[in-house]
Amino acid sequence: MNDSKQSSSSAALPIMDAEAISRALRRIAHEIIERNPDLRSVVLAGIPSRGDEIARRIAGFIAEIEKIEVDSGVIDVAMHRDDVGTRAELPIVKASQLPTSLEGRTVIIVDDVLFTGRTVRAAMDAIGSFGRPARIQLAALIDRGHRELPIRADYVGKNLPTAANEKVRVRLEQTDDEPDAVRLSKE
Amino acid sequence: MTSLTRCGYRKNESAREHSGERARLACWRSWPGFVDFRKQNAPASKKLHDHSAQKFAKAGRFRQQARPVRYPTMNWNRKDLLGLRELSADEINFILETADAFKQVGTREIKKVPALRGKTLVNFFVEPSTRTRTSFELAAFRLSADVINLSASTSSLAKGETLKDTARNLEALHADILVLRHSSAGAPQFLGQRLKASVINAGDGAHEHPTQALLDLYTIREKRGKIAGLHVAIVGDILFSRVARSNIFGLVKLGARVTLVGPITLVPREFEKLGVAVSHKIDNVLPEADVVNLLRIQHERQRKEYFPGLSEYTALFGLTKERAKLLKPDCLIMHPGPINRGVEIDSEVADGAQSVILDQVTNGLAVRMAVLYLCGGIST
């Protein structure tokens, strides 16, 4: 790890630690169980790269609580974004892994931070190409506001009012080689 | 050092969100560091490490015990794909990684994504082609681009318009991507420098055919899990083959051992300068090859004096049923198509279990989608 990164993370405001993240995800798991009596039809679709790790953890909590293994997969949104061709940098595309037919299933999109809603719109578009699910729900670890589309999360780990120039950084052990944490920093 | 591309650690965090998955990152394992094409004579493993150590010691930012970084990302900043010679190993790997995602699209119920919606692609094939043109066309459809097909006979080239004028007219109609096949080497470079549109080389003379080589690399990587360290034999008409040249550049950069096999008239020793071995006896090479890539004998580019006749070629270099028994059981048999059954390959071998010829066609679609997405998707 280089020095500049360390100094920037020490200036950041801690929002959640590993335990808080774990509690929030456990609560989301409970809410998913409560809202979806037929858990076997549920598919958790994580948006890379932290959303799929969060989806795996939620699936783990559901298995712990209800002893049911729900399907969990990865939904890539890069090629469904509405800003391809207008950005100087392309989002990196990753292979999606979902059950081939989503007919009649309940798909829960899982992401780390819910911000403008554009990523979620792209994810809904991507899910549509796998079939026609019965319903789509949305789970996010952090909802930071500033929506640009009419999109609302069904399950939220923490509502975090932010200014537009602030940055929410989620760190997970499996994806970042750092202890679990959520921090808020100024641009 | 060859052209060092903008590949490195990202500073802004949002960009890391879309980086690749750990499990599929086999080709990034050797990262950081990329193969310096001009230092191929040094022992392969040692050279890579020395090179990267030097590079990072100079930068002074990376300690010896630095944590492994799992998500190296890359800034793709090329509007054109002209050949593999100018690409770095990292860039080639990046295209292959991207193709993984597009291969998955082919398995969905709806095999179409909106990535290039509103873009126009012109398939400009001055030389005839069915396979490559259809593959590019289908790739563009799957990315939601609009496609126009032009051939030499249907364009005003037949009326004496120059290539540049035809291309500038296409650009005036707001074509965003130009896929060009031309009988002259360098035609795509010529247009790439003069047009704002992306130019994708779909074969120029006997020079390069980058997407064919990329799909060959993709198929090898998919079937064998790696490319570095494999021994690849390229058999046939090397002298006239753009497929062979692009394959040589790509394979050598990714660390494979390449042996060219064919009659002395079609495989001159000059090719050894590209870092490959040359052999004129196929039976010596087959038993130790991990991949055999057979090339078509190109009647249209050849005059008779290169070899006496097709039957003699088959007797000396064709992959017959008997010769196929020399191969390792896990050796892959590849062919860019169209196959001349009974000339460079026997029917039984072409349809056999070791043949991945049809996988190459499927992968070609994914690789071309990746190339169109990368070159056509950046804003210029």
Side-chain angles (χ1 to χ4, degrees):
Chain A
M1 166 133 317
N2 60 51
D3 296 333
S4 66
K5 216 167 194 179
Q6 267 171 357
S7 61
S8 75
S9 62
S10 62
L13 181 68
I15 303 292
M16 291 171 103
D17 58 8
E19 266 183 41
I21 291 174
S22 176
R23 276 195 298 271
L25 295 183
R26 184 182 288 272
R27 177 173 52 73
I28 289 176
H30 275 289
E31 286 176 8
I32 290 173
I33 295 164
E34 189 182 359
R35 290 267 302 271
N36 298 283
D38 183 12
L39 269 183
R40 292 185 196 283
S41 74
V42 167
V43 181
L44 298 174
I47 297 174
S49 60
R50 296 191 190 92
D52 55 349
E53 171 55 25
I54 293 173
R56 261 194 297 279
R57 291 188 187 185
I58 292 175
F61 284 126
I62 293 176
E64 204 177 283
I65 300 160
E66 287 289 301
K67 308 280 180 275
I68 290 175
E69 297 280 339
V70 298
D71 287 334
S72 108
V74 179
I75 184 78
D76 182 79
V77 299
M79 48 185 121
H80 293 269
R81 294 190 68 98
D82 53 9
D83 53 2
V84 174
T86 61
R87 295 161 48 134
E89 269 178 24
L90 282 175
I92 288 174
V93 289
K94 253 187 74 172
S96 298
Q97 298 153 14
L98 281 178
T100 39
S101 178
L102 295 178
E103 203 71 34
R105 310 289 298 264
T106 299
V107 181
I108 302 178
I109 300 170
V110 183
D111 202 0
D112 52 353
V113 180
L114 177 58
F115 185 22
T116 59
R118 287 177 191 268
T119 304
V120 176
R121 188 210 59 79
M124 288 194 283
D125 192 13
I127 286 166
S129 66
F130 285 87
R132 185 173 177 277
R135 60 189 70 81
I136 298 180
Q137 298 173 348
L138 172 60
L141 178 61
I142 303 285
D143 180 353
R144 60 166 294 187
H146 302 283
R147 214 76 77 239
E148 292 168 4
L149 295 169
I151 282 170
R152 177 185 62 80
D154 299 86
Y155 314 100
V156 180
K158 189 177 181 64
N159 278 301
L160 183 64
T162 56
N165 65 350
E166 285 171 325
K167 254 190 151 169
V168 180
R169 293 161 178 246
V170 177
R171 289 286 171 274
L172 299 176
E173 212 179 324
Q174 287 83 347
T175 54
D176 306 283
D177 269 333
E178 278 179 54
D180 288 0
V182 179
R183 293 188 209 96
L184 185 66
S185 59
K186 284 251 163 37
E187 282 274 82
Chain B
M1 190 182 295
T2 49
S3 64
L4 182 59
T5 54
R6 272 196 241 151
C7 160
Y9 299 83
R10 273 186 206 265
K11 286 179 193 97
N12 62 332
E13 296 304 313
S14 62
R16 292 183 71 183
E17 287 179 4
H18 296 286
S19 49
E21 186 188 11
R22 201 182 334 156
R24 291 194 303 99
L25 279 175
C27 61
W28 290 109
R29 209 161 280 156
S30 61
W31 209 89
F34 69 99
V35 179
D36 189 336
F37 186 45
R38 290 185 301 188
K39 292 187 184 165
Q40 279 303 318
N41 296 328
S45 58
K46 190 163 179 288
K47 170 196 43 127
L48 187 69
H49 291 292
D50 284 350
H51 178 64
S52 53
Q54 256 175 25
K55 193 168 99 192
F56 288 106
K58 213 181 283 172
R61 287 185 295 143
F62 299 89
R63 276 178 237 142
Q64 197 79 42
Q65 298 302 318
R67 265 201 211 111
V69 172
R70 285 169 179 174
Y71 297 108
T73 55
M74 163 159 259
N75 220 344
W76 180 267
N77 57 1
R78 293 179 185 274
K79 83 173 172 73
D80 305 324
L81 178 73
L82 305 175
L84 292 197
R85 186 178 205 164
E86 65 203 19
L87 297 186
S88 68
D90 277 347
E91 282 174 307
I92 295 172
N93 278 327
F94 183 68
I95 297 174
L96 301 182
E97 289 275 313
T98 308
D100 274 339
F102 285 104
K103 182 155 191 194
Q104 192 280 325
V105 173
T107 66
R108 296 184 188 177
E109 266 183 36
I110 296 167
K111 298 172 182 58
K112 191 163 179 167
V113 295
L116 294 184
R117 195 169 50 189
K119 301 249 178 194
T120 307
L121 177 139
V122 178
N123 261 330
F124 192 18
F125 279 66
V126 181
E127 257 189 358
S129 153
T130 324
R131 198 174 320 260
T132 309
R133 186 180 57 75
T134 351
S135 182
F136 267 112
E137 196 172 348
L138 195 52
F141 284 144
R142 295 245 167 117
L143 292 169
S144 307
D146 300 311
V147 181
I148 305 168
N149 285 310
L150 283 182
S151 63
S153 53
T154 60
S155 73
S156 285
L157 285 182
K159 298 178 191 163
E161 191 177 45
T162 62
L163 178 67
K164 187 178 163 192
D165 283 334
T166 306
R168 286 180 64 179
N169 276 289
L170 292 172
E171 194 170 57
L173 295 170
H174 302 296
D176 300 291
I177 306 169
L178 182 66
V179 178
L180 180 68
R181 169 166 291 187
H182 202 280
S183 49
S184 301
Q189 279 84 345
F190 175 81
L191 288 185
Q193 287 160 3
R194 283 162 181 77
L195 299 183
K196 256 170 43 198
S198 292
V199 177
I200 313 284
N201 183 358
D204 56 337
H207 178 220
E208 284 228 46
H209 191 350
T211 54
Q212 177 67 43
L214 286 168
L215 74 89
D216 290 344
L217 294 171
Y218 186 91
T219 309
I220 297 172
R221 172 174 164 276
E222 179 186 64
K223 300 286 172 191
R224 300 297 301 259
K226 58 169 187 177
I227 289 170
L230 292 183
H231 183 197
V232 181
I234 306 178
V235 183
D237 174 5
I238 311 290
L239 188 59
F240 291 94
S241 172
R242 52 193 172 213
V243 176
R245 277 175 189 66
S246 289
N247 257 299
I248 292 168
F249 293 134
L251 287 166
V252 168
K253 282 180 193 191
L254 297 188
R257 194 154 69 86
V258 182
T259 305
L260 308 177
V261 187
I264 197 157
T265 47
L266 293 174
V267 190
R269 293 250 168 226
E270 288 291 299
F271 275 98
E272 286 175 351
K273 287 180 187 161
L274 298 176
V276 300
V278 167
S279 168
H280 304 302
K281 289 214 168 71
I282 191 169
D283 294 341
N284 296 348
V285 178
L286 290 182
E288 51 186 60
D290 297 305
V291 177
V292 177
N293 199 347
L294 299 160
L295 301 176
R296 183 174 65 93
I297 292 299
Q298 308 197 44
H299 313 287
E300 72 271 19
R301 282 187 218 285
Q302 269 172 19
R303 297 190 304 275
K304 282 212 172 96
E305 54 265 35
Y306 285 100
F307 56 87
L310 288 180
S311 54
E312 180 164 343
Y313 180 85
T314 312
L316 289 173
F317 295 101
L319 189 59
T320 55
K321 254 192 305 184
E322 293 71 39
R323 280 218 176 88
K325 287 176 191 148
L326 294 173
L327 293 170
K328 290 187 198 169
D330 59 347
C331 176
L332 303 177
I333 297 171
M334 304 173 68
H335 192 299
I339 308 175
N340 291 330
R341 283 175 189 265
V343 180
E344 67 263 2
I345 185 166
D346 269 2
S347 266
E348 290 87 344
V349 183
D351 304 326
Q354 284 174 288
S355 157
V356 292
I357 296 172
L358 291 176
D359 297 272
Q360 287 176 272
V361 179
T362 312
N363 291 339
L365 189 58
V367 164
R368 290 188 174 110
M369 282 172 81
V371 166
L372 293 179
Y373 171 80
L374 290 174
C375 292
I378 57 165
S379 75
T380 42

